[in-house]
């Protein structure tokens, strides 16, 4: 995607071939800072502290984290430790564990002398595969936006109005994004559109990240308070919702940033299509119910405090709540499959159900049985 007119990814191997560079998303939208990961612990901190976030990007970062560990010590013990350390950083995103399993399978059969080069090569392949998957999701989601435009033609030729929640764009992946990949493809095709951007508290990934990347790419958008989505749907100002997901069960239940469930309920009540874009590594074929998805609980400080920039360019953090009032910070919620109109994957769009997913991924029938 574009930053100041220049194509960028969110993570890449530095020119020295030994360190990994990332966009530090904690400082967006006011500062574009490139972070440097030199060790396993650097990669683990980047994931846990949300310098990188979004299920696909977490997976790619974990893969590079294993490679950094192998550069320091390519032994079996070090490989096991890297998988354990990185696996404990974020509990909900299944891509993390998919990437770690992939790296372990690729490296364990090799002699330690061969692991460093192989690890960086495989981590780069994981990143490239994510880009290809997301681009394909954009292609499959594009017809949904084009269809909405055709429906609008009979109602005054207004642009397609899309509502999204959290950030499931380029910044949540290596490139293209999940939920926003169809938006970027529609923009490329000249389809007039406008995106309603939920602020997505408490970390405000919509207001800070989605708005920033849409602005960089020249896509019309408006940031709204999280609770405004239902109002917009009731008044016919949303043609379709597209969100991402951090984990999807074999039966089509989806876990996404807290507040997604409420958007799905509002969409269902107002007959607004609600789509979820997911790369196949986000599907947890071992789970039949969203009730079994572990929900991350983060620090209450994310709820009680908020960071921003003053007019003079100083970054400050202020308290929102009374001193002494406790806060709960559930990072995700689960939207049941019955509220999901369809799942957008790299192989096509399907119903949010076991049969729908297996229709696109028949090779997983034994795993999902």
């Amino acid at each position: 995607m574009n930053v100041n007119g220049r194509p960028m990814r969110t993570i890449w191997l530095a020119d020295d071939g030994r360190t990994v560079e990332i966009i530090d998303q904690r400082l967006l939208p006011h500062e574009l800072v490139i972070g440097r990961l030199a060790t396993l612990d650097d990669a683990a901190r980047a994931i846990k502290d949300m310098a990188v976030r979004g299920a696909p990007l977490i997976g790619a970062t974990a893969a590079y984290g294993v490679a950094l560990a192998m550069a320091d010590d390519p032994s079996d013990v070090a490989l096991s430790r890297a998988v354990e350390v990185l696996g404990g950083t974020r509990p909900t995103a299944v891509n993390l564990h998919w990437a770690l399993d992939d790296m372990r399978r690729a490296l364990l059969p090799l002699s330690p002398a061969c692991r460093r080069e192989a690890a960086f090569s495989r981590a780069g392949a994981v990143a490239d595969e994510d880009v290809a998957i997301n681009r394909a999701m954009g292609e499959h989601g594009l017809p949904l936006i084009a269809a909405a435009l055709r429906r609008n033609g009979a109602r005054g030729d207004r642009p397609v109005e899309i509502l999204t929640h959290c950030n499931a764009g380029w910044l949540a992946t290596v490139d293209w994004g999940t939920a926003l990949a169809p938006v970027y493809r529609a923009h490329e095709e000249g389809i007039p559109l406008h995106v309603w951007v939920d602020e997505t508290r408490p970390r405000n990934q919509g207001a800070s990240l989605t708005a920033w990347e849409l602005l960089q790419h020249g896509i019309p958008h408006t940031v709204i308070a999280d609770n405004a989505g239902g109002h917009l749907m009731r008044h016919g100002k949303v043609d379709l919702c597209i969100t991402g997901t951090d984990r999807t069960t074999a039966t089509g239940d989806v876990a996404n940033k807290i507040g997604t469930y409420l958007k799905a309920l509002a969409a269902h009540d107002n007959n607004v299509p609600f789509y979820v874009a997911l790369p196949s590594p986000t599907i947890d074929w071992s789970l039949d119910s969203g009730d079994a998805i572990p929900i991350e609980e983060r620090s209450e400080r994310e709820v009680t405090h908020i960071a921003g920039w003053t007019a003079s360019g100083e970054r400050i953090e202020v308290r929102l709540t009374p001193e002494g009032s406790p806060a709960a910070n559930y990072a995700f919620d689960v939207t049941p499959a019955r509220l999901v109109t369809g799942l957008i994957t790299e192989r096509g769009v399907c119903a949010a159900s076991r049969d729908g997913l297996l229709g696109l991924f028949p090779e997983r029938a034994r795993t999902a049985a």
Side-chain angles (χ1 to χ4, degrees):
M1 293 291 100
N2 293 330
V3 178
N4 298 322
R6 180 169 67 94
M8 286 189 73
R9 287 186 174 187
T10 54
I11 188 169
W12 61 94
L13 187 63
D15 291 339
D16 62 9
R18 172 62 182 78
T19 55
V20 176
E21 293 182 331
I22 60 169
I23 294 175
D24 189 337
Q25 298 187 29
R26 295 170 298 181
L27 301 175
L28 291 174
H30 303 288
E31 293 183 74
L32 177 62
V33 173
I34 305 304
R36 202 167 181 87
L37 311 180
T39 67
L40 164 66
D41 289 340
D42 288 344
R45 275 193 300 271
I47 295 171
K48 190 168 186 176
D49 295 345
M50 296 183 73
V52 296
R53 23 71 52 211
L57 179 54
I58 288 172
T61 305
Y64 274 118
V66 172
L68 293 170
M70 293 298 92
D72 286 337
D73 178 359
S75 69
D76 287 355
V77 172
L79 177 58
S80 295
R81 179 179 180 273
V83 170
E84 180 182 0
V85 168
L86 291 162
T89 53
R90 299 289 302 275
T92 302
V94 75
N95 300 60
L96 170 65
H97 303 287
W98 172 88
L100 293 174
D101 288 344
D102 182 274
M103 294 294 289
R104 180 165 44 195
R105 283 195 303 270
L107 298 176
L108 262 181
L110 305 178
S111 69
C114 299
R115 283 178 180 167
R116 180 195 180 280
E117 183 177 353
F120 278 107
S121 176
R122 182 56 200 151
V126 167
D128 289 342
E129 288 166 11
D130 179 66
V131 177
I133 286 172
N134 297 333
R135 167 78 190 208
M137 283 193 295
E139 296 295 337
H140 291 300
L142 173 61
L144 304 176
I145 298 176
L149 179 68
R150 291 192 296 272
R151 291 195 298 270
N152 286 351
R155 302 202 305 262
D157 288 325
R158 64 175 175 84
V160 180
E161 300 280 0
I162 302 167
L163 185 142
T164 191
H165 187 69
C166 193
N167 174 259
W170 157 63
L171 288 166
T173 67
V174 179
D175 204 350
W176 281 98
T178 58
L180 290 189
V183 172
Y184 287 128
R185 281 294 294 116
H187 181 70
E188 285 185 343
E189 294 296 316
I191 294 176
L193 53 83
H194 171 265
V195 181
W196 295 107
V197 179
D198 283 355
E199 60 191 349
T200 322
R201 292 190 179 186
R203 290 192 64 93
N204 296 309
Q205 294 102 321
S208 60
L209 303 179
T210 301
W212 182 79
E213 65 173 86
L214 291 174
L215 184 66
Q216 290 291 326
H217 215 68
I219 294 178
H221 64 281
T222 302
V223 178
I224 57 172
D226 282 350
N227 289 333
H231 168 79
L232 293 172
M233 293 183 212
R234 282 202 67 204
H235 289 269
K237 294 185 177 182
V238 178
D239 294 308
L240 69 162
C241 302
I242 310 179
T243 75
T245 173
D246 287 72
R247 188 183 299 217
T248 300
T249 70
T251 54
D253 295 341
V254 296
N256 194 49
K257 186 57 60 181
I258 194 75
T260 303
Y261 175 47
L262 297 179
K263 297 301 181 300
L265 286 171
H268 184 265
D269 193 50
N270 290 279
N271 297 314
V272 174
F274 186 93
Y275 292 98
V276 176
L278 61 133
S280 56
T282 310
I283 306 170
D284 188 340
W285 295 98
S286 71
L287 295 185
D288 288 332
S289 170
D291 293 340
I293 296 175
I295 300 299
E296 179 180 3
E297 296 183 45
R298 296 183 58 80
S299 168
E300 68 173 26
R301 191 175 182 86
E302 293 179 353
V303 176
T304 61
H305 291 69
I306 194 167
W309 272 253
T310 66
S312 61
E314 179 187 7
R315 185 181 187 273
I316 62 171
E317 187 177 74
V318 297
R319 172 177 278 277
L320 296 172
T321 60
E323 188 76 41
S325 289
N329 187 8
Y330 301 98
F332 301 91
D333 59 24
V334 173
T335 298
R338 63 182 175 81
L339 298 177
V340 179
T341 305
L343 302 173
I344 306 170
T345 79
E346 70 268 28
R347 294 189 184 178
V349 181
C350 70
S353 66
R354 184 188 301 275
D355 288 344
L357 284 168
L358 290 178
L360 295 180
F361 301 94
E363 71 277 14
R364 303 309 300 255
R366 179 177 298 178
T367 306

